[in-house]
Amino acid sequence: MTTEEQFDKAIAECRGIYIKKYHDYGAAWRIMRPESITDQIYIKANRVRTLETTGVSLVGEGIKPELIGIVNYAVMGMVQLEKGYSEKDDLSEAQAIEFYDQHMQATRSLMLKKNHDYDEAWRAMRTSSYTDLILMKIYRTKQIESLKGETLISEGIEANYMDMLNYAMFYLIKLDEEKTR
């Protein structure tokens, strides 16, 4: 499979989970401020790192669900940056999916451009490096949030969410490749 096909397969899986969670919870996440979403991504990335280093899961869930969570929370974060947070669940399922698709396609487009320019360097990276890069992007995002978005040179919070999402997708692709060997 090509990178585009692998990425689209991973998108479909993440999107499917997002839709099922919408069914169960609605868009309850709309009450979260972007800073809270960043913290939620941190929790998931930190758990991935713990699983990588200890290999122990007492709750019986592995790395893959956490990566899907990172992907989906990153999309939610981009929606919150665009729309602002709400005091209530204010998105229909169709609207929530439309926003998801819009932000996912923008992130996919960025991935394709960077993938071309960097000649698929991500394929030679260790999965643990993706985790470390996601954590670094989280710390950068927290710093930008502390500065209330007033940066001198940074690409901003949305760009960091996109990068976190793309690194998580690369990890998902590598997990899928390992599974099919």
Side-chain angles (χ1 to χ4, degrees):
M1 292 177 79
T2 67
T3 296
E4 287 181 67
E5 291 168 332
Q6 289 176 303
F7 204 85
D8 289 343
K9 181 180 176 188
I11 287 172
E13 185 171 13
C14 294
R15 186 178 188 270
I17 297 293
Y18 177 85
I19 291 169
K20 288 176 183 171
K21 294 246 183 181
Y22 183 92
H23 174 271
D24 291 351
Y25 306 127
W29 54 268
R30 286 284 294 130
I31 69 160
M32 295 176 76
R33 291 169 281 192
E35 296 86 355
S36 298
I37 290 179
T38 302
D39 286 342
Q40 198 61 36
I41 296 170
Y42 168 75
I43 290 167
K44 298 204 166 290
N46 193 61
R47 181 150 192 281
V48 169
R49 190 172 188 169
T50 299
L51 290 170
E52 289 171 344
T53 57
T54 68
V56 176
S57 172
L58 297 181
V59 295
E61 292 181 356
I63 290 173
K64 187 174 182 176
E66 303 301 340
L67 294 169
I68 291 170
I70 290 168
V71 168
N72 288 343
Y73 273 112
V75 172
M76 292 174 204
M78 288 184 264
V79 172
Q80 298 302 70
L81 291 173
E82 177 185 344
K83 292 187 60 61
Y85 66 91
S86 177
E87 296 300 324
K88 59 186 167 68
D89 174 345
D90 64 348
L91 292 181
S92 69
E93 182 176 8
Q95 290 171 315
I97 293 169
E98 182 181 333
F99 281 117
Y100 187 91
D101 292 343
Q102 170 192 342
H103 288 285
M104 185 58 83
Q105 286 309 310
T107 304
R108 180 184 182 276
S109 177
L110 175 67
M111 179 279 297
L112 291 172
K113 290 174 187 173
K114 286 186 174 185
N115 198 42
H116 173 270
D117 288 356
Y118 290 96
D119 195 28
E120 296 209 333
W122 67 272
R123 291 196 178 274
M125 294 171 60
R126 296 172 185 96
T127 54
S128 59
S129 293
Y130 305 143
T131 306
D132 292 348
L133 287 163
I134 292 167
L135 286 165
M136 179 194 65
K137 295 287 183 176
I138 290 166
Y139 283 109
R140 286 181 176 185
T141 301
K142 286 181 174 211
Q143 178 63 25
I144 295 167
E145 290 167 347
S146 295
L147 295 170
K148 301 195 183 335
E150 300 292 325
T151 62
L152 300 176
I153 197 166
S154 168
E155 295 172 303
I157 295 170
E158 183 178 34
N160 280 286
Y161 280 151
M162 287 179 153
D163 287 345
M164 290 177 222
L165 189 158
N166 280 327
Y167 286 126
M169 294 292 270
F170 292 154
Y171 202 145
L172 286 168
I173 289 169
K174 287 244 182 155
L175 288 177
D176 191 53
E177 287 176 339
E178 288 174 9
K179 185 179 78 177
T180 57
R181 283 185 194 155

